[in-house]
Amino acid sequence: MRWLVLLLTLTLTACQIGKLKGPSAGGPSNRPPSTANPPDKGPVKVSHSVQLYWSRPLTRVNNDPMPEIEIGGYEIRYRKLPGSEFQSIILPADLVQYGLTTAEPADRYEFVVAVFDQDGIYSDFVMASP
């Protein structure tokens, strides 16, 4: 089966560890705001969002047509480099994009995608390219 487009895009999001502090139980204070630096709340955890896009295959490996109705779904595999074991995500046939969050930048991971038909026959896995 052929893949027409496989694209990997990156975005960064940040999340702070810890709880936000709301107003005290006694209500608002009449004191002027402090000009001192706020206390250190510890390290900031950064997560990395990866968005994968692809087009459904139009033909099989042997160039026979691949009707959309015959697509069973997609499998995304990803792993942290070097050499970790792949983790797998199975997606339904109607999806042609998927986003996931990684602990480190996407260039430290390998992403591959394959399509499978209603009979469970897989295409070759295709490596995502940035």
Side-chain angles (χ1 to χ4, degrees):
M1 297 178 206
R2 291 189 189 157
W3 292 93
L4 300 180
V5 178
L6 185 60
L7 174 68
L8 174 69
T9 60
L10 307 175
T11 58
L12 296 178
T13 57
C15 302
Q16 186 166 352
I17 298 173
K19 295 182 179 179
L20 296 176
K21 293 184 180 180
S24 66
S29 170
N30 289 331
R31 289 180 280 163
S34 171
T35 57
N37 290 332
D40 184 10
K41 299 200 183 216
V44 173
K45 181 180 178 184
V46 176
S47 61
H48 304 270
S49 178
V50 177
Q51 191 72 33
L52 298 166
Y53 301 89
W54 59 92
S55 295
R56 76 166 189 85
L58 300 176
T59 60
R60 294 180 178 273
V61 173
N62 64 3
N63 288 326
D64 285 346
M66 177 76 171
E68 190 171 357
I69 192 80
E70 291 183 13
I71 296 175
Y74 301 94
E75 182 174 348
I76 296 174
R77 292 182 184 174
Y78 66 99
R79 66 180 173 178
K80 187 175 171 192
L81 296 172
S84 299
E85 288 190 35
F86 275 106
Q87 299 209 22
S88 181
I89 301 166
I90 303 294
L91 301 171
D94 61 341
L95 290 182
V96 291
Q97 67 178 350
Y98 187 76
L100 61 112
T101 302
T102 59
E104 296 188 32
D107 63 353
R108 295 189 182 149
Y109 290 84
E110 178 181 17
F111 300 89
V112 295
V113 181
V115 63
F116 55 89
D117 67 13
Q118 293 287 338
D119 296 325
I121 299 171
Y122 272 71
S123 69
D124 293 333
F125 278 87
V126 176
M127 186 174 295
S129 59

